[in-house]
Structure formats: structure tokens, C-alpha cells
Amino acid sequence: MSFPGRDRTIARPPQQSKGTNCRPATPAGLQTRPSIMVVNPNTSTAMTALCLKSCELTFGEKLQFIGSSGTESVATVESCVDEVHGAMSVIDQVRAGEASGVDAYVIACFGDTGLWAARQLASGPVIGMSEAALYTASMVAARFSIVTMPVRTRESAVRVVHEAGLAHRCTVRAIDEPVAATLVDSNSELLHRLAAAARAAIAEDYAEAIILGCAGLGDLATALEADIGVPVIDGVVAGVALADALLTARITTSRANTFAPEPDAGEQQ
């Protein structure tokens, strides 16, 4: 796991107490750029680099991005078993981020692998790319569709749609391409297949926006949007925007019940 480009001069804000969801304000003059870790549950550093590139192109130097990939995980997350390995990888990465003073996290895997565990561990906001994309789409379109890959991951996308309470507005389509296809130098064929699925969603599901159902597809968002003529949402970029908004408002995860920290061993006795 690497933490490139760290230039922070800020001391870690005090740990919040249970039952509060506001982070203390940082003393004036100490704050540099907020740091956001892009957490990739798999071991592909190339995919992490793709996600970072999209974020840096969108946000410029406003934020400090830290790319993190799994070290003991799977090459891609494409099955139920992969999800479990990926979730353990997310836990390890968030723990490392907490030790390094990271301000917020975005989980770069559609299906939001390990999201709730990460929220329990992190002192700052944790955003899943799936939920970020869904809630963003709900603000710009009445109906929308996810185009994910490969086909076997479709039910994972359906699950996050239902969990977000948006099943009445969102449909899910899938193309049978492996996640590794996002790492091919020339993605013209993948773009063609995405566009075909997106057009079908627009014509048959009445979709007014398209969500990219894989973290590795972000670099195709601009070209796809120009091709199909409706908003195309990259969940990683949407997640960063939401994380930044929460940091600006000094709002973080509630510790009332669900995401309360694990009790110390002494407290359990």
C-alpha cells in the first residue's frame, strides 16, 4: 500500500466522542488540502491509477488524493467470494489510512465492498461509489440505469439499488466483459458495448442518465456521454464530491448505534 504525494502539515483532529456526528474544526492556518483515500479492494494498482486520474482531472489540486490497493486480496472483484476477500482488504486499507491521518475515503468498487465495516473503523466520512452514483443520478434524472460488468455481478448492483431505496427509478443492465477489460490500452470495443447497453436502457427502460457500474470505467465517461447524449455518472468521482462536501460541512458518520466503535477488550468484560 502506498501513500504518494503526502504533504500534510495538519495534526490529526481529536477523536470524536460517541453519539456525535460532527468533526471538530481544524485550527486556522494548519489545514492544507483535505486528503481523500481512494480505496480499491482488489490488487490492481493499474485500476487504482485509472480512478486517481479521473479524480485529479475533475478536482485538480483542490484535494489531496491517496491511491490505495489491496495487498492480500483478489485481482478483481467479480463474485460473491471475491466480495469477502475485497471487504477484508478494505478493512486493512482503512486501518492504514487512519494511522496515516486520512480525512475521508471513497470505496472504488461497484457494490460498495466493505462499506459498513469501513464506516465503523474510520473517524471521517466513508462513501461507496455505488451509493454516490445512485444518489447523484437521482438528483439529475427521474429514471436512470446502471450498466455493469460482467453479467455475474448484476445481482450485486441490484442489491445496492434496493438498499438505496431507488428500485422504482433504476434498472440494471450488464455486459459480459471481465473487469480486466477496463485495463486494455484501447477501449474502443468496450466503449461500443457500453454505448449499446446504454442506448437500450434509454430506449426500453426510459433511462435519462447512465451509471457506470465498475470503478475502472471512469475514463470512458466523457466519451460515452458525448455518444449517447445523457448524463453519465462515474461513482468514484461522485463519491469524492460527496466526501468533500461532508468534510466541508464537518459532518461524519454517526456513532449512535450501527457504526459505534468496537468496544475495548476491557469494556467487554
Side-chain angles (χ1 to χ4, degrees):
M1 186 181 305
S2 61
F3 299 88
R6 298 194 61 79
D7 57 1
R8 291 170 54 82
T9 57
I10 177 175
R12 184 67 173 160
Q15 179 74 26
Q16 66 177 16
S17 60
K18 292 182 180 180
T20 180
N21 63 347
C22 290
R23 290 164 67 84
T26 302
L30 291 182
Q31 179 71 57
T32 59
R33 295 175 295 162
S35 61
I36 296 181
M37 177 184 279
V38 177
V39 180
N40 178 4
N42 69 46
T43 60
S44 173
T45 56
M47 184 171 293
T48 304
L50 278 178
C51 295
L52 287 178
K53 181 180 178 181
S54 296
C55 293
E56 289 165 353
L57 286 173
T58 302
F59 298 95
E61 296 184 356
K62 177 184 178 183
L63 302 168
Q64 179 185 354
F65 293 107
I66 302 162
S68 181
S69 307
T71 55
E72 296 182 6
S73 186
V74 288
T76 58
V77 178
E78 300 184 41
S79 72
C80 300
V81 173
D82 290 347
E83 282 273 352
V84 176
H85 288 290
M88 294 304 298
S89 172
V90 167
I91 289 172
D92 290 341
Q93 293 177 64
V94 170
R95 282 180 171 150
E98 288 297 286
S100 300
V102 169
D103 292 315
Y105 304 82
V106 174
I107 297 178
C109 185
F110 210 84
D112 296 342
T113 303
L115 173 61
W116 278 30
R119 281 194 174 137
Q120 185 176 3
L121 291 170
S123 57
V126 184
I127 307 295
M129 67 168 289
S130 307
E131 64 175 7
L134 286 163
Y135 292 134
T136 299
S138 73
M139 290 183 278
V140 299
R143 293 189 58 80
F144 39 94
S145 291
I146 298 168
V147 180
T148 191
M149 56 188 280
V151 170
R152 70 181 300 176
T153 67
R154 182 182 179 278
E155 288 307 307
S156 178
V158 170
R159 170 181 56 79
V160 296
V161 170
H162 281 271
E163 288 178 351
L166 290 168
H168 61 300
R169 296 173 61 185
C170 182
T171 59
V172 180
R173 290 176 177 259
I175 59 174
D176 209 8
E177 291 278 357
V179 171
T182 63
L183 304 177
V184 176
D185 288 338
S186 175
N187 270 331
S188 57
E189 178 58 29
L190 181 57
L191 179 61
H192 174 75
R193 296 198 65 183
L194 284 171
R199 288 194 190 95
I202 293 167
E204 299 169 17
D205 303 337
Y206 304 101
E208 300 168 7
I210 297 296
I211 293 170
L212 297 175
C214 177
L217 295 173
D219 62 330
L220 300 179
T222 300
L224 182 60
E225 184 170 298
D227 188 356
I228 63 176
V230 302
V232 173
I233 298 164
D234 170 13
V236 177
V237 169
V240 169
L242 290 175
D244 182 32
L246 290 174
L247 287 173
T248 299
R250 298 200 303 274
I251 299 172
T252 193
T253 308
S254 170
R255 304 302 175 191
N257 286 302
T258 306
F259 301 117
E262 287 292 307
D264 295 332
E267 294 181 21
Q268 293 179 322
Q269 295 177 355

PDB file of all heavy atoms in Angstrom, residues 165-180:
ATOM      1  N   GLY A 165     -33.009   2.372  -1.862  1.00  0.00           N
ATOM      2  CA  GLY A 165     -34.421   2.740  -1.961  1.00  0.00           C
ATOM      3  C   GLY A 165     -34.801   3.317  -3.302  1.00  0.00           C
ATOM      4  O   GLY A 165     -35.766   4.093  -3.406  1.00  0.00           O
ATOM      5  N   LEU A 166     -34.077   2.935  -4.360  1.00  0.00           N
ATOM      6  CA  LEU A 166     -34.294   3.539  -5.675  1.00  0.00           C
ATOM      7  C   LEU A 166     -34.706   2.522  -6.735  1.00  0.00           C
ATOM      8  O   LEU A 166     -34.604   2.803  -7.938  1.00  0.00           O
ATOM      9  CB  LEU A 166     -33.021   4.275  -6.115  1.00  0.00           C
ATOM     10  CG  LEU A 166     -32.704   5.541  -5.309  1.00  0.00           C
ATOM     11  CD1 LEU A 166     -31.298   6.020  -5.609  1.00  0.00           C
ATOM     12  CD2 LEU A 166     -33.719   6.631  -5.616  1.00  0.00           C
ATOM     13  N   ALA A 167     -35.209   1.363  -6.315  1.00  0.00           N
ATOM     14  CA  ALA A 167     -35.579   0.330  -7.280  1.00  0.00           C
ATOM     15  C   ALA A 167     -36.715   0.777  -8.196  1.00  0.00           C
ATOM     16  O   ALA A 167     -36.860   0.267  -9.306  1.00  0.00           O
ATOM     17  CB  ALA A 167     -35.972  -0.953  -6.548  1.00  0.00           C
ATOM     18  N   HIS A 168     -37.543   1.732  -7.741  1.00  0.00           N
ATOM     19  CA  HIS A 168     -38.651   2.201  -8.568  1.00  0.00           C
ATOM     20  C   HIS A 168     -38.182   3.186  -9.644  1.00  0.00           C
ATOM     21  O   HIS A 168     -38.962   3.549 -10.524  1.00  0.00           O
ATOM     22  CB  HIS A 168     -39.706   2.876  -7.689  1.00  0.00           C
ATOM     23  CG  HIS A 168     -39.210   4.071  -6.939  1.00  0.00           C
ATOM     24  ND1 HIS A 168     -38.179   4.007  -6.032  1.00  0.00           N
ATOM     25  CD2 HIS A 168     -39.611   5.368  -6.959  1.00  0.00           C
ATOM     26  CE1 HIS A 168     -37.953   5.199  -5.521  1.00  0.00           C
ATOM     27  NE2 HIS A 168     -38.814   6.043  -6.065  1.00  0.00           N
ATOM     28  N   ARG A 169     -36.917   3.582  -9.589  1.00  0.00           N
ATOM     29  CA  ARG A 169     -36.403   4.548 -10.558  1.00  0.00           C
ATOM     30  C   ARG A 169     -35.206   4.040 -11.353  1.00  0.00           C
ATOM     31  O   ARG A 169     -34.796   4.682 -12.327  1.00  0.00           O
ATOM     32  CB  ARG A 169     -36.005   5.839  -9.838  1.00  0.00           C
ATOM     33  CG  ARG A 169     -37.180   6.546  -9.184  1.00  0.00           C
ATOM     34  CD  ARG A 169     -36.740   7.720  -8.337  1.00  0.00           C
ATOM     35  NE  ARG A 169     -36.051   8.760  -9.101  1.00  0.00           N
ATOM     36  CZ  ARG A 169     -35.496   9.836  -8.556  1.00  0.00           C
ATOM     37  NH1 ARG A 169     -35.534  10.001  -7.243  1.00  0.00           N
ATOM     38  NH2 ARG A 169     -34.903  10.728  -9.307  1.00  0.00           N
ATOM     39  N   CYS A 170     -34.625   2.925 -10.939  1.00  0.00           N
ATOM     40  CA  CYS A 170     -33.362   2.486 -11.531  1.00  0.00           C
ATOM     41  C   CYS A 170     -33.443   1.046 -12.022  1.00  0.00           C
ATOM     42  O   CYS A 170     -33.955   0.168 -11.327  1.00  0.00           O
ATOM     43  CB  CYS A 170     -32.240   2.606 -10.500  1.00  0.00           C
ATOM     44  SG  CYS A 170     -30.607   2.147 -11.116  1.00  0.00           S
ATOM     45  N   THR A 171     -32.935   0.804 -13.210  1.00  0.00           N
ATOM     46  CA  THR A 171     -32.800  -0.545 -13.752  1.00  0.00           C
ATOM     47  C   THR A 171     -31.323  -0.885 -13.863  1.00  0.00           C
ATOM     48  O   THR A 171     -30.456  -0.011 -13.784  1.00  0.00           O
ATOM     49  CB  THR A 171     -33.469  -0.669 -15.135  1.00  0.00           C
ATOM     50  OG1 THR A 171     -32.856   0.265 -16.039  1.00  0.00           O
ATOM     51  CG2 THR A 171     -34.964  -0.391 -15.043  1.00  0.00           C
ATOM     52  N   VAL A 172     -31.035  -2.183 -14.042  1.00  0.00           N
ATOM     53  CA  VAL A 172     -29.645  -2.644 -14.135  1.00  0.00           C
ATOM     54  C   VAL A 172     -29.465  -3.476 -15.388  1.00  0.00           C
ATOM     55  O   VAL A 172     -30.234  -4.411 -15.645  1.00  0.00           O
ATOM     56  CB  VAL A 172     -29.257  -3.485 -12.897  1.00  0.00           C
ATOM     57  CG1 VAL A 172     -27.798  -3.956 -13.023  1.00  0.00           C
ATOM     58  CG2 VAL A 172     -29.462  -2.695 -11.614  1.00  0.00           C
ATOM     59  N   ARG A 173     -28.476  -3.120 -16.158  1.00  0.00           N
ATOM     60  CA  ARG A 173     -28.071  -3.896 -17.323  1.00  0.00           C
ATOM     61  C   ARG A 173     -26.614  -4.291 -17.184  1.00  0.00           C
ATOM     62  O   ARG A 173     -25.850  -3.609 -16.485  1.00  0.00           O
ATOM     63  CB  ARG A 173     -28.293  -3.103 -18.617  1.00  0.00           C
ATOM     64  CG  ARG A 173     -29.779  -2.936 -18.947  1.00  0.00           C
ATOM     65  CD  ARG A 173     -30.016  -2.080 -20.164  1.00  0.00           C
ATOM     66  NE  ARG A 173     -31.441  -2.014 -20.460  1.00  0.00           N
ATOM     67  CZ  ARG A 173     -32.046  -2.731 -21.398  1.00  0.00           C
ATOM     68  NH1 ARG A 173     -31.343  -3.579 -22.144  1.00  0.00           N
ATOM     69  NH2 ARG A 173     -33.342  -2.607 -21.608  1.00  0.00           N
ATOM     70  N   ALA A 174     -26.224  -5.379 -17.822  1.00  0.00           N
ATOM     71  CA  ALA A 174     -24.850  -5.864 -17.700  1.00  0.00           C
ATOM     72  C   ALA A 174     -24.332  -6.326 -19.052  1.00  0.00           C
ATOM     73  O   ALA A 174     -25.086  -6.835 -19.889  1.00  0.00           O
ATOM     74  CB  ALA A 174     -24.784  -7.012 -16.697  1.00  0.00           C
ATOM     75  N   ILE A 175     -23.052  -6.110 -19.260  1.00  0.00           N
ATOM     76  CA  ILE A 175     -22.381  -6.644 -20.453  1.00  0.00           C
ATOM     77  C   ILE A 175     -21.402  -7.704 -19.982  1.00  0.00           C
ATOM     78  O   ILE A 175     -20.833  -7.606 -18.889  1.00  0.00           O
ATOM     79  CB  ILE A 175     -21.674  -5.538 -21.256  1.00  0.00           C
ATOM     80  CG1 ILE A 175     -20.625  -4.812 -20.409  1.00  0.00           C
ATOM     81  CG2 ILE A 175     -22.687  -4.541 -21.791  1.00  0.00           C
ATOM     82  CD1 ILE A 175     -19.799  -3.815 -21.198  1.00  0.00           C
ATOM     83  N   ASP A 176     -21.229  -8.736 -20.779  1.00  0.00           N
ATOM     84  CA  ASP A 176     -20.405  -9.861 -20.348  1.00  0.00           C
ATOM     85  C   ASP A 176     -18.942  -9.639 -20.721  1.00  0.00           C
ATOM     86  O   ASP A 176     -18.399 -10.268 -21.623  1.00  0.00           O
ATOM     87  CB  ASP A 176     -20.931 -11.167 -20.935  1.00  0.00           C
ATOM     88  CG  ASP A 176     -20.618 -12.356 -20.035  1.00  0.00           C
ATOM     89  OD1 ASP A 176     -20.134 -12.130 -18.910  1.00  0.00           O
ATOM     90  OD2 ASP A 176     -20.861 -13.497 -20.446  1.00  0.00           O
ATOM     91  N   GLU A 177     -18.331  -8.716 -20.003  1.00  0.00           N
ATOM     92  CA  GLU A 177     -16.906  -8.430 -20.137  1.00  0.00           C
ATOM     93  C   GLU A 177     -16.263  -8.539 -18.762  1.00  0.00           C
ATOM     94  O   GLU A 177     -16.848  -8.122 -17.765  1.00  0.00           O
ATOM     95  CB  GLU A 177     -16.679  -7.016 -20.679  1.00  0.00           C
ATOM     96  CG  GLU A 177     -17.094  -6.808 -22.114  1.00  0.00           C
ATOM     97  CD  GLU A 177     -16.045  -7.280 -23.101  1.00  0.00           C
ATOM     98  OE1 GLU A 177     -14.954  -7.727 -22.649  1.00  0.00           O
ATOM     99  OE2 GLU A 177     -16.303  -7.223 -24.317  1.00  0.00           O
ATOM    100  N   PRO A 178     -15.055  -9.093 -18.685  1.00  0.00           N
ATOM    101  CA  PRO A 178     -14.379  -9.140 -17.385  1.00  0.00           C
ATOM    102  C   PRO A 178     -13.933  -7.749 -16.956  1.00  0.00           C
ATOM    103  O   PRO A 178     -13.730  -6.862 -17.787  1.00  0.00           O
ATOM    104  CB  PRO A 178     -13.180 -10.051 -17.660  1.00  0.00           C
ATOM    105  CG  PRO A 178     -12.890  -9.860 -19.120  1.00  0.00           C
ATOM    106  CD  PRO A 178     -14.232  -9.671 -19.766  1.00  0.00           C
ATOM    107  N   VAL A 179     -13.777  -7.564 -15.657  1.00  0.00           N
ATOM    108  CA  VAL A 179     -13.308  -6.275 -15.154  1.00  0.00           C
ATOM    109  C   VAL A 179     -11.950  -5.919 -15.745  1.00  0.00           C
ATOM    110  O   VAL A 179     -11.649  -4.744 -15.995  1.00  0.00           O
ATOM    111  CB  VAL A 179     -13.245  -6.305 -13.613  1.00  0.00           C
ATOM    112  CG1 VAL A 179     -12.556  -5.060 -13.064  1.00  0.00           C
ATOM    113  CG2 VAL A 179     -14.649  -6.439 -13.032  1.00  0.00           C
ATOM    114  N   ALA A 180     -11.129  -6.913 -16.019  1.00  0.00           N
ATOM    115  CA  ALA A 180      -9.805  -6.661 -16.586  1.00  0.00           C
ATOM    116  C   ALA A 180      -9.868  -5.966 -17.940  1.00  0.00           C
ATOM    117  O   ALA A 180      -8.886  -5.347 -18.367  1.00  0.00           O
ATOM    118  CB  ALA A 180      -9.037  -7.973 -16.711  1.00  0.00           C
TER     119      ALA A 180
END
